[in-house]
Amino acid sequence: MIASAQRSFIPPQATIWGLLLANGFLIALMLALAKAATSQGMPAITYAFWQTLIAGTLLLVCTQKRRSLLERRLTRYFLISGLTGIAVPNVIGFYLVTKLGAGFTGIMYALPPIFTFLLAASMGLEKRSGIKLTGLSIAVVACAWIVLQRHSEISSPNLLWFAMGLVIPAMLSIGNVYRSVAWPEDVKPMILAAGTLLASAATLGLFAGLTGTSIFPETTGLQLVGIVGIQGLLTSLTYLCAFELQRRSTPVFYSQLGAVAAVFGLLIGVIWFRENYSLTIWLGAFLVILGLRISNRRGVQTGAP
C-alpha cells in the first residue's frame, strides 16, 4: 500500500522529467571524470573498457535474473545497443574531452534529438509535429552556434576533432530508435543495462587488443584507480536510469537528455576545470533549453508503462 501511495503522489511526467535531469547530470559528471583520467595519460579506450566492465558487473550482481543475459534473443540487442549507445560515442567523447573541453564535448550529446525525431517520424514511431520540429531545430541550431564559437576560441583547432564529434550524435540517434523498436518484452531495464554495458566492455576489450592498447597501463596509480572505480559506479546508475527512462518515454524525449547533459557540462566545466565561456556560448545554452521547452509544450509522450 505504501508503494501504491507513493506512486499516486508522483505524477508519471514528474518521474520522467526527474529521470531526464538526473541522467543528464550523471552523463556530464562522467565526462568530467573522463577528462580527469585521460588527461593523466590513461587511453580513452582503456578508460571506457573499465568504466563499462565495472558498471555492467555491478548491475549484474544486483539483478536476480542473471541467466537472462545468455538468451539468444538478447545477444543482438546487447551488441547493437552497446556499440551505438556506449562504446563508439564514449570512446570518441573521452578522447575529445581532453582536446576540446568538457563543455564542448557535452554539446555533442545535445545534438541527437532532431535526428532522432526525423528518424522516428519517418518510421512512424513519432507523430509529425511542426511545434516539436521547431523547438528541436532551435536547440540544434543553438548547439551548432556553440560549436562555432568554441571553434574560434580554441587555438590551432583540428577540424578532424569536430568531424569526430559529429559521430557521437549520429550513433546516439540510431541507438535511441533501435532500443525502443527492438525493446525485448518481459525484460527489466536492469538486465538490459547490464547486458548492454558488458557487451560494450567486450567490444572495447577486443578493439583495445586489435589496436595494441593496454588495458593495464603501467602509469596507472591509486588516484586513477579511484577515478575509474567512481566512474564505474556512476555509469551503473546512469544506464540504469537511462533504460528506465527509455522504457517510460519515447525515443525523441529520451534523446533530449543529451541537451540536459550539455548544460550541466558547461556548468561543470566552469566550476571544476575553470573553463571560460563567452556570453554568446551561454546564450546558446539558454536557446538549447528554450528549444527543448518548446518541443515539449504539449506534454511528455510516454512509452511502455
Side-chain angles (χ1 to χ4, degrees):
M1 293 182 63
I2 295 178
S4 61
Q6 290 177 338
R7 285 195 295 268
S8 64
F9 282 115
I10 303 177
Q13 289 191 3
T15 301
I16 292 174
W17 278 102
L19 286 169
L20 183 72
L21 293 174
N23 219 168
F25 173 73
L26 287 170
I27 289 175
L29 191 57
M30 283 180 4
L31 283 172
L33 284 172
K35 180 176 181 179
T38 53
S39 62
Q40 295 182 37
M42 177 172 280
I45 296 175
T46 302
Y47 189 77
F49 167 78
W50 286 110
Q51 171 205 13
T52 52
L53 179 63
I54 293 172
T57 302
L58 286 174
L59 291 178
L60 182 62
V61 171
C62 292
T63 185
Q64 297 179 346
K65 297 182 178 181
R66 301 180 184 88
R67 293 184 179 180
S68 299
L69 294 178
L70 302 178
E71 295 182 15
R72 289 186 177 181
R73 68 189 180 101
L74 298 180
T75 301
R76 183 174 62 179
Y77 184 91
F78 291 152
L79 288 174
I80 297 178
S81 178
L83 280 172
T84 59
I86 303 177
V88 176
N90 281 9
V91 168
I92 295 176
F94 293 166
Y95 173 76
L96 292 181
V97 77
T98 61
K99 305 295 184 181
L100 303 175
F104 174 84
T105 306
I107 292 298
M108 291 297 98
Y109 286 84
L111 296 177
I114 190 168
F115 302 112
T116 303
F117 173 74
L118 294 174
L119 183 59
S122 66
M123 297 176 64
L125 301 175
E126 187 85 18
K127 293 182 179 180
R128 297 182 179 181
S129 168
I131 293 178
K132 183 178 289 292
L133 183 59
T134 299
L136 294 175
S137 298
I138 291 174
V140 170
V141 170
C143 287
W145 171 254
I146 295 174
V147 169
L148 291 176
Q149 292 300 304
R150 287 299 288 163
H151 185 286
S152 62
E153 293 176 9
I154 298 173
S155 59
S156 301
N158 187 335
L159 292 179
L160 179 60
W161 296 343
F162 295 96
M164 289 175 61
L166 293 177
V167 177
I168 295 177
M171 288 287 100
L172 291 175
S173 298
I174 295 172
N176 291 339
V177 174
Y178 173 78
R179 282 190 301 275
S180 290
V181 172
W183 188 280
E185 296 182 3
D186 303 323
V187 181
K188 293 185 177 181
M190 184 177 290
I191 291 291
L192 297 179
T196 297
L197 286 163
L198 291 174
S200 175
T203 304
L204 290 167
L206 177 61
F207 186 70
L210 293 175
T211 57
T213 304
S214 174
I215 59 174
F216 298 102
E218 296 180 356
T219 57
T220 303
L222 289 178
Q223 184 179 8
L224 271 178
V225 172
I227 292 176
V228 172
I230 294 174
Q231 181 73 295
L233 176 60
L234 287 176
T235 302
S236 65
L237 294 175
T238 299
Y239 284 96
L240 181 58
C241 288
F243 275 87
E244 186 62 35
L245 176 63
Q246 182 113 45
R247 183 180 72 87
R248 293 171 179 265
S249 65
T250 65
V252 175
F253 183 84
Y254 173 88
S255 70
Q256 294 174 129
L257 71 86
V260 177
V263 176
F264 278 123
L266 289 175
L267 295 174
I268 291 175
V270 170
I271 296 172
W272 191 345
F273 298 108
R274 306 297 182 184
E275 296 177 354
N276 295 316
Y277 303 111
S278 64
L279 181 60
T280 54
I281 287 182
W282 289 114
L283 176 61
F286 170 76
L287 290 175
V288 170
I289 298 174
L290 178 63
L292 296 184
R293 183 69 185 90
I294 292 174
S295 70
N296 289 287
R297 61 181 296 181
R298 292 185 176 179
V300 179
Q301 294 180 350
T302 57

